[in-house]
Amino acid sequence: MQSLPRTLRSASARELKDRLDAARRDVPFVLYREGDDRQRIVMLDKRATLSIGRQDASDVALPWDAAVSRVHATLERVGEEWTLVDDGSSRNGSFLNGVRVHGRRRLKDGDIIRVGYTTMAYIVPRDRELSSSTAAVTSSTVPRFTTAQRRVLVALCRPLVDGHLGAPTSNQQIAGELFIGVETVKSHMQALFEAFGIQDLAQNQKRAELARLALERGAVTEDELLAGALHTIGRDL
């Protein structure tokens, strides 16, 4: 999956939590920003066809974007897959990963859609069993952990800014970023799992749930996440 465009990378802690909550559901979604820069997430779970256009009645309504036609394009489900359809009636066209769409194009996780001046990301949750099998955690208390464990927790949440929703950072990646050993990362991760009460979850579910809880409870601050976003942008320049 490719990273989100820069307009979508920078996000508040609340927005990152909303993205992770959406990624934990069993359906794909599109992510974009409205004209006032508010984050918008549209879940593709209700109808087989969703319209994209400038009129308010559109399912994906972009009334602020003067370069979008009133009826611009559609998102259509074909079997288990979603497609972007532009029949040529839009004035300025639709683009998928920078290539103009003529007719129908199948969407893949991480694809970037551009209509007018608006950029959207198409996201497919990577772990579709997570939302139905994750144990409920009722406590809202922020657990105590060390400064070293906080650094590991921030590194775990950092890919959410990059747009890799549902793809937890590996121990090797965290070790490389923080310049510590993999065994040290494993030890800190185990302590964090226990601190948040999720040590009994399936191994492939723990990281995504840990990141969700860290954002939900405010254990990771917005400044820390935005610092991670700036780090990523600087690396890509």
Side-chain angles (χ1 to χ4, degrees):
M1 173 181 170
Q2 61 181 302
S3 296
L4 292 180
R6 292 178 185 178
T7 53
L8 295 177
R9 286 184 198 168
S10 181
S12 68
R14 174 73 247 183
E15 289 174 335
L16 290 172
K17 178 185 176 298
D18 290 343
R19 294 180 188 189
L20 186 56
D21 284 344
R24 294 177 69 251
R25 297 176 61 178
D26 194 31
V27 292
F29 60 93
V30 291
L31 169 71
Y32 62 96
R33 289 197 177 279
E34 296 184 330
D36 57 4
D37 203 42
R38 285 185 300 174
Q39 176 174 281
R40 174 78 165 147
I41 295 174
V42 177
M43 306 302 301
L44 305 181
D45 60 351
K46 294 182 179 180
R47 283 174 284 178
T49 301
L50 285 85
S51 59
I52 301 173
R54 201 171 72 248
Q55 55 187 350
D56 291 334
S58 298
D59 298 303
V60 181
L62 311 171
W64 64 86
D65 193 333
V68 171
S69 300
R70 288 175 56 80
V71 180
H72 195 102
T74 58
L75 295 167
E76 296 184 8
R77 185 169 55 208
V78 180
E80 295 298 318
E81 306 292 336
W82 279 89
T83 63
L84 174 65
V85 181
D86 189 319
D87 60 8
S89 59
S90 64
R91 180 174 182 179
N92 295 310
S94 306
F95 296 81
L96 182 62
N97 300 326
V99 179
R100 185 159 184 167
V101 173
H102 299 282
R104 183 187 303 272
R105 289 283 302 276
R106 184 172 68 89
L107 297 173
K108 303 184 299 297
D109 180 36
D111 277 349
I112 303 302
I113 301 167
R114 181 171 63 81
V115 291
Y117 300 115
T118 302
T119 299
M120 307 177 187
Y122 172 77
I123 308 295
V124 179
R126 291 179 179 269
D127 188 351
R128 296 198 170 206
E129 297 178 355
L130 185 60
S131 60
S132 60
S133 58
T134 299
V137 180
T138 57
S139 174
S140 59
T141 304
V142 177
R144 294 183 178 181
F145 40 77
T146 67
T147 299
Q149 290 165 357
R150 173 179 290 280
R151 293 177 65 217
V152 169
L153 189 58
V154 171
L156 179 75
C157 294
R158 188 158 291 162
L160 299 179
V161 183
D162 275 339
H164 301 294
L165 301 178
T169 313
S170 69
N171 289 337
Q172 290 78 8
Q173 290 171 320
I174 294 175
E177 178 180 332
L178 301 181
F179 301 101
I180 58 178
V182 174
E183 291 303 317
T184 301
V185 175
K186 289 181 179 179
S187 176
H188 289 327
M189 290 295 295
Q190 186 58 42
L192 288 166
F193 293 151
E194 293 175 0
F196 280 85
I198 58 173
Q199 67 272 19
D200 294 330
L201 288 182
Q203 193 64 35
N204 65 338
Q205 299 175 1
K206 290 180 181 179
R207 293 171 181 268
E209 182 66 3
L210 177 59
R212 186 188 72 83
L213 291 173
L215 293 170
E216 184 177 85
R217 300 185 190 180
V220 175
T221 69
E222 182 175 338
D223 286 345
E224 289 170 317
L225 292 171
L226 291 179
L230 292 175
H231 168 82
T232 300
I233 293 172
R235 183 185 61 204
D236 291 343
L237 289 175

